Amino acid sequence: DIQMTQSPSTLSASVGDRVTITCRASQSISNWLAWYQQKPGKAPKVLIYKASSLESGVPSRFSGSGSGTEFTLTISGLQPDDFATYYCQQYNSYAYAFGQGTKLEIK
Amino acid sequence: EVQILESGGGLVQPGGSLRLSCAASGFTFMDYAMTWVRQAPGKGLELVSLISSTGGTTFYADSVKGRFTISRDNSKNTLYLQMNSLRADDTAVYYCAKGQRTAVTNNWFDPWGQGTLVTVSS
């Protein structure tokens, strides 16, 4: 099975900062990667699919990049609403896998 | 507007059974794969099961294989998860979510329902 490793597990940042979250796959997944945002007590919401495609309605400060085994989610100009937990998900194979999550906290 | 609403969660004893339902509206249900994803308290996301648009192909995580059964009724726009032989480590919020394709492969999931809590405890 493909394993997904996210880093860091926790990230402290301030409003206005630019932050990057990394997701690594244990083998190549081409660009079959999605990023989700989850707030406490709420369901996840997709931000990015196919590694770099922005979901409709998602602010343009969110961007994704990468292919193969290494991927990044970048948030440019953090807003108060962005403090949440972020998950990557590979969908290259039947054995879909999520990363363990990155909690973005206010510094 | 797409809406997804799970129901059927609750408290069940170890070894017991529970059936979750997921009612969908606002899209052509029969055209999309659907999934169940769970989240144990304070933990990350785990895909439990996935079903193709026709119901002809299913996928299960190793942790639930042989105990859980996913199914769908396209005439009722409803997805189900029959959970048998429940264990304490099945305790989680169970989310239903819409895939982006008819097949079980190459799907990301959006939108998700609000989730239903399953607690397995004596």
Side-chain angles (χ1 to χ4, degrees):
Chain A
D1 291 356
I2 299 174
Q3 310 298 322
M4 305 301 293
T5 304
Q6 272 183 248
S7 60
S9 297
T10 306
L11 180 56
S12 296
S14 302
V15 172
D17 284 354
R18 179 177 185 269
V19 298
T20 298
I21 299 169
T22 298
C23 185
R24 290 186 174 87
S26 58
Q27 59 186 270
S28 177
I29 58 170
S30 183
N31 65 344
W32 299 115
L33 186 103
W35 289 97
Y36 299 86
Q37 177 193 67
Q38 186 180 33
K39 296 181 180 178
K42 301 294 186 182
K45 168 189 162 185
V46 70
L47 302 172
I48 302 285
Y49 60 94
K50 284 186 183 176
S52 59
S53 295
L54 190 68
E55 174 72 3
S56 176
V58 174
S60 59
R61 62 180 179 272
F62 291 92
S63 63
S65 65
S67 67
T69 62
E70 186 152 337
F71 303 85
T72 58
L73 172 70
T74 299
I75 312 172
S76 301
L78 273 173
Q79 298 299 302
D81 191 51
D82 299 337
F83 292 94
T85 300
Y86 294 84
Y87 294 93
C88 62
Q89 177 223 331
Q90 72 86 9
Y91 52 100
N92 178 68
S93 70
Y94 272 106
Y96 291 72
F98 290 90
Q100 78 277 19
T102 294
K103 186 175 182 180
L104 179 54
E105 299 179 328
I106 300 175
K107 185 184 288 185
Chain B
E1 180 192 3
V2 174
Q3 291 195 330
I4 290 176
L5 185 63
E6 304 95 336
S7 61
L11 175 63
V12 61
Q13 292 189 339
S17 298
L18 213 53
R19 188 198 201 199
L20 306 183
S21 298
C22 167
S25 62
F27 65 100
T28 307
F29 183 74
M30 68 172 64
D31 285 349
Y32 295 94
M34 296 290 293
T35 190
W36 289 98
V37 175
R38 69 184 180 184
Q39 187 169 37
K43 302 297 185 183
L45 303 169
E46 178 190 19
L47 189 140
V48 171
S49 187
L50 187 58
I51 188 168
S52 64
S53 61
T54 64
T57 305
T58 57
F59 167 80
Y60 297 93
D62 287 344
S63 57
V64 306
K65 204 171 292 183
R67 300 188 298 123
F68 290 11
T69 302
I70 192 171
S71 62
R72 63 192 296 161
D73 185 336
N74 285 345
S75 69
K76 296 181 178 179
N77 291 351
T78 303
L79 177 73
Y80 302 100
L81 186 68
Q82 178 67 43
M83 304 186 295
N84 297 331
S85 303
L86 283 161
R87 311 186 302 222
D89 62 357
D90 293 317
T91 294
V93 174
Y94 285 73
Y95 294 102
C96 169
K98 171 183 168 286
Q100 304 303 306
R101 305 177 70 230
T102 57
V104 295
T105 52
N106 302 130
N107 279 281
W108 66 98
F109 305 115
D110 184 70
W112 300 49
Q114 86 292 345
T116 187
L117 176 62
V118 172
T119 303
V120 184
S121 175
S122 55

